[in-house]
């Protein structure tokens, strides 16, 4: 739901705010938006995984954008190369 909201809102270079994402989810899905802890956890998890980029703010507040597919693939391949190099014996 969060990915769809950010994709649809298209916040431009400033991203989509937490408040705008909440409003979109409340308007388009049958769920209680007051439970913001789930939304915040999803945003933080998306930033950690590399699905979203946080433009402004800290934690779950601020503005968020989707990461382009090529940038996410490059980041994933870079981390996998680091993991492989750590496994080699000294």
């Amino acid at each position: 739901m969060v990915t769809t909201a950010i994709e649809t809102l298209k916040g431009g270079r400033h991203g989509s705010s937490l408040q705008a994402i909440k409003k979109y989810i409340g308007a388009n899905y049958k769920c209680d938006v007051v439970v913001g802890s789930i939304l915040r956890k999803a945003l933080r998890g998306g930033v950690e995984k590399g699905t979203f980029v946080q433009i402004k703010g800290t934690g779950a507040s601020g503005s968020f954008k989707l990461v382009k597919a090529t940038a996410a693939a490059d980041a994933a391949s870079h981390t996998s190369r680091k993991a492989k190099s750590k496994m080699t014996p000294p």
Side-chain angles (χ1 to χ4, degrees):
M1 286 192 293
V2 176
T3 306
T4 306
I6 294 173
E7 204 173 89
T8 305
L9 290 172
K10 295 182 184 176
R13 69 177 201 190
H14 298 291
S16 302
S17 68
L18 176 66
Q19 198 65 23
I21 295 168
K22 276 186 182 180
K23 283 183 182 180
Y24 179 85
I25 291 173
N28 295 310
Y29 297 99
K30 303 275 185 195
C31 64
D32 189 15
V33 185
V34 178
V35 183
S37 61
I38 296 171
L39 178 62
R40 290 175 186 200
K41 189 173 183 178
L43 286 170
R44 276 190 244 130
V47 170
E48 288 175 5
K49 289 180 184 176
T51 308
F52 311 126
V53 174
Q54 189 167 14
I55 305 299
K56 296 181 195 173
T58 59
S61 64
S63 299
F64 300 89
K65 285 176 67 173
L66 286 176
V67 174
K68 294 182 181 177
T70 57
D74 291 341
S77 66
H78 181 66
T79 56
S80 66
R81 277 187 258 142
K82 277 188 171 183
K84 287 179 184 175
S85 65
K86 288 182 181 179
M87 297 177 110
T88 58

